[in-house]
Amino acid sequence: MQLTDPLVQNLKEAARRASLNAYCPYSRFPVGAAVLTESGEIYAGANVENASYGLTLCAERNAVAQAIAAGNRQILAVAVFTPTPSPTPPCGACRQVIAEFGSQADVFGFSNGPEVFHARLDRLLPEAPRHEGMPPPP
Ligand code: THU
């Protein structure tokens, strides 16, 4: 499936909308993310914080989980929105989780400013662990 400009626009819009549902009373830093699956569907997520801070779920991992729970296994692109002057690229944990389903996914970061972050996941997480030598996942 080809990543067209209108698709990327839709993905970004879904991420922006999802940020409105962020639960972030501790950081007050709302994040929205959206993933595009191989089937052309878009799944969104927001960060969900917790009184036990370390249990916080980032927007990207939430969006990936939505896609996987709906039966998808391949992620082509991820968009991340933060209402900040410049974009926020995904954290290391999220890069690893995206790699599981999209080792070459296109990752976009955008914000309220004009700057757009765009990189393929294999640049954001080079030498990601692979499953060679292990039985294939179900
Ligand atoms: N956060 C995300 O959801 N995604 C990112 O890429 C960066 C950080 C969240 C985690 C926490 O709820 C808040 O932003 C502040 O770090």
Side-chain angles (χ1 to χ4, degrees):
M1 153 159 236
Q2 197 58 33
L3 201 57
T4 59
D5 277 354
L7 256 180
V8 173
Q9 274 314 113
N10 288 345
L11 194 64
K12 287 181 174 176
E13 197 39 51
R16 189 192 299 274
R17 262 199 317 273
S19 73
L20 301 175
N21 292 329
Y23 176 73
C24 53
Y26 308 107
S27 73
R28 303 200 185 281
F29 189 75
V31 186
V35 306
L36 175 71
T37 66
E38 201 171 45
S39 55
E41 288 163 305
I42 288 175
Y43 295 85
N47 51 334
V48 180
E49 297 186 344
N50 192 273
S52 177
Y53 294 178
L55 299 181
T56 289
L57 179 63
C58 290
E60 296 92 321
R61 274 177 286 155
N62 190 354
V64 169
Q66 304 292 330
I68 300 311
N72 300 283
R73 290 292 181 269
Q74 199 60 51
I75 285 171
L76 298 184
V78 181
V80 186
F81 172 78
T82 48
T84 48
S86 55
T88 306
C91 77
C94 289
R95 294 176 192 200
Q96 178 65 35
V97 168
I98 296 165
E100 184 78 16
F101 305 103
S103 55
Q104 306 206 321
D106 280 280
V107 178
F108 299 91
F110 67 111
S111 64
N112 289 329
E115 188 190 338
V116 175
F117 172 87
H118 178 203
R120 244 171 53 170
L121 194 84
D122 52 6
R123 177 159 84 77
L124 299 179
L125 189 69
E127 308 293 345
R130 302 182 64 87
H131 296 290
E132 281 153 16
M134 293 170 72

